[in-house]
Amino acid sequence: MESYEVSTSSKKTKSVYISTVISIALVLLMTGLLGLILVHAKNLSDYVKENIVLNVIMNDGASEGDVLAYQKQLEADPYVLRSEYISKELAAKNLSEELGEDFVEFLGHNPLLSSIDVYLKAQYANTDSIQPFIKKISANKMIKEVVYQESLIDMVNKNIRTIGIVILAFTALLLVIAVALINNTIRLAIYSQRFLIKSMQMVGATKGFIRRPFLGYGILHGLLGALIAILLLLLTLHLGQREIPELVFLRNWFEFIIIFIIVAALGILISGLSTYFAVGKYLRLKSNELYR
C-alpha cells in the first residue's frame, strides 16, 4: 500500500512538472515569436529606408570619368550606403523600356543627363538628415540638381514610427501576461507540494534546505521550457522562410541569437523567482491554513 501511494504521488508529481514545462514553453514561444516580429519589423523598416533613392543629376558638360570619380567620393561619405552610376545611354534605355518605344529615335537625340542614384543608410533616411546632405553635395559644380520624393520619405518614417509604437506596446503587454501566466503555473505546481513543504519544515528542515530542490527544479523547468520554445522558434523561422523566400533578406542570425538568449534568460529568471516566492508563501503558512 505504501509503495502504491509513493508510485501514485510520483506520477502526479511528474504530471505536474511536465504540464509546467509545457506551459512555460508555450508562453515563451509567444514571447519569442513577438521578438522575431520585432526584429523582422526593424529589418524591414531599414530595408525600406535604405532603398529610398536620391537622384543626383549631373550637368551635361560633366565627363564620365569625372562623374565616376565623384561617385567614389560620394560612397566614402558616412551618410551613403551605396550608389549607382546611370549613364545617359542607360537612362535612355530604361525610359524607352518604360514607354514601350524608342524616344531617342523619334527626337533625333538623347535629352537625358547622366546621374548617380544614391542610397542612404537607414539612420539618415529622413528629411532632417537628407536636407543638409543635399545642401553639401549641391555645392559641387558638376551637379545640376538632386531629386527625391520628400513626401514619400516623410510618409515612410511616420508609418514606421506608428507601427513601432504599436508593436512595442503590444510587446510590453505580452511580457506582463507571460510573467503572470508562468507565475500562476508555477504557483499551482508548488500548491500541489504544499504538504510536503510543511512536513519537511515540521521535522526541522531549514527554509534554505527546503527551497533548494524546488529552486533547482524551477530553474530546470524554465530552461527546458525555453529550449523547447527556441526549437519551435527555429522551426517557425525555417517554415516561414521556405513559404516566403523574400524573408531571407531580413534574416539576421546575430539578432535571432540575442532573442533566443533573452527567451532562455526569461524562462530561467521568471521560473526561478516564481518558485522562490511560491515556496516562501507555504513556508510562512500555518498547518491549518494549508487546507484553504
Side-chain angles (χ1 to χ4, degrees):
M1 189 65 181
E2 184 179 349
S3 63
Y4 172 76
E5 289 178 354
V6 171
S7 175
T8 303
S9 177
S10 177
K11 287 180 180 178
K12 287 182 178 179
T13 302
K14 288 181 181 178
S15 176
V16 169
Y17 286 163
I18 290 171
S19 63
T20 301
V21 171
I22 292 173
S23 300
I24 292 172
L26 291 176
V27 174
L28 291 176
L29 174 63
M30 292 182 63
T31 307
L33 283 174
L34 190 57
L36 292 178
I37 291 172
L38 277 172
V39 168
H40 278 85
K42 176 184 177 300
N43 293 341
L44 180 59
S45 70
D46 288 347
Y47 177 81
V48 171
K49 288 180 179 180
E50 288 172 354
N51 279 275
I52 295 174
V53 61
L54 305 182
N55 300 115
V56 182
I57 312 298
M58 313 305 293
N59 284 315
D60 195 25
S63 67
E64 184 172 344
D66 290 338
V67 175
L68 290 174
Y70 182 66
Q71 181 189 8
K72 290 183 178 179
Q73 183 180 337
L74 272 177
E75 290 180 342
D77 192 287
Y79 277 47
V80 177
L81 177 67
R82 68 183 189 280
S83 66
E84 182 181 355
Y85 170 62
I86 308 295
S87 65
K88 294 177 63 173
E89 293 74 18
L90 181 58
K93 179 182 177 183
N94 292 339
L95 185 57
S96 295
E97 290 176 353
E98 291 178 10
L99 295 175
E101 59 180 333
D102 189 354
F103 72 95
V104 175
E105 183 178 350
F106 175 77
L107 294 175
H109 70 285
N110 182 3
L112 301 180
L113 301 173
S114 61
S115 64
I116 300 174
D117 287 348
V118 177
Y119 300 88
L120 301 180
K121 294 176 182 176
Q123 62 267 36
Y124 301 117
N126 55 76
T127 305
D128 292 340
S129 298
I130 289 175
Q131 292 291 355
F133 176 74
I134 290 177
K135 185 177 180 181
K136 180 177 68 174
I137 66 174
S138 296
N140 192 300
K141 295 180 179 179
M142 287 193 299
I143 296 175
K144 182 177 181 180
E145 62 177 329
V146 180
V147 179
Y148 75 104
Q149 294 180 302
E150 184 175 354
S151 59
L152 174 63
I153 293 173
D154 290 338
M155 182 185 69
V156 166
N157 283 288
K158 181 180 178 181
N159 290 339
I160 287 173
R161 279 195 299 269
T162 302
I163 293 170
I165 291 171
V166 171
I167 292 178
L168 284 175
F170 189 67
T171 301
L173 177 62
L174 184 60
L175 189 58
V176 172
I177 294 172
V179 172
L181 287 175
I182 293 176
N183 182 59
N184 286 337
T185 300
I186 291 173
R187 285 169 67 90
L188 288 173
I190 300 298
Y191 176 80
S192 66
Q193 304 290 320
R194 66 193 185 283
F195 292 110
L196 175 60
I197 293 171
K198 186 54 65 177
S199 297
M200 294 172 68
Q201 192 176 24
M202 290 176 68
V203 298
T206 63
K207 291 183 179 181
F209 180 83
I210 297 171
R211 274 198 180 104
R212 196 174 301 120
F214 286 100
L215 280 175
Y217 278 115
I219 291 171
L220 178 62
H221 295 158
L223 181 59
L224 288 175
L227 290 176
I228 293 172
I230 289 170
L231 289 174
L232 292 174
L233 287 173
L234 287 170
L235 179 62
T236 303
L237 278 173
H238 174 71
L239 293 175
Q241 291 177 358
R242 189 178 70 179
E243 295 298 322
I244 311 175
E246 292 79 7
L247 289 177
V248 172
F249 74 85
L250 298 177
R251 185 169 60 192
N252 187 324
W253 284 111
F254 176 76
E255 292 178 343
F256 292 165
I257 289 171
I258 295 297
I259 290 175
F260 297 155
I261 291 173
I262 291 173
V263 167
L266 279 176
I268 294 170
L269 182 64
I270 297 173
S271 183
L273 288 176
S274 298
T275 302
Y276 179 87
F277 290 117
V279 173
K281 174 186 175 182
Y282 294 108
L283 286 173
R284 291 190 298 271
L285 288 180
K286 295 180 180 179
S287 297
N288 62 322
E289 295 176 328
L290 295 177
Y291 296 93
R292 292 180 180 177

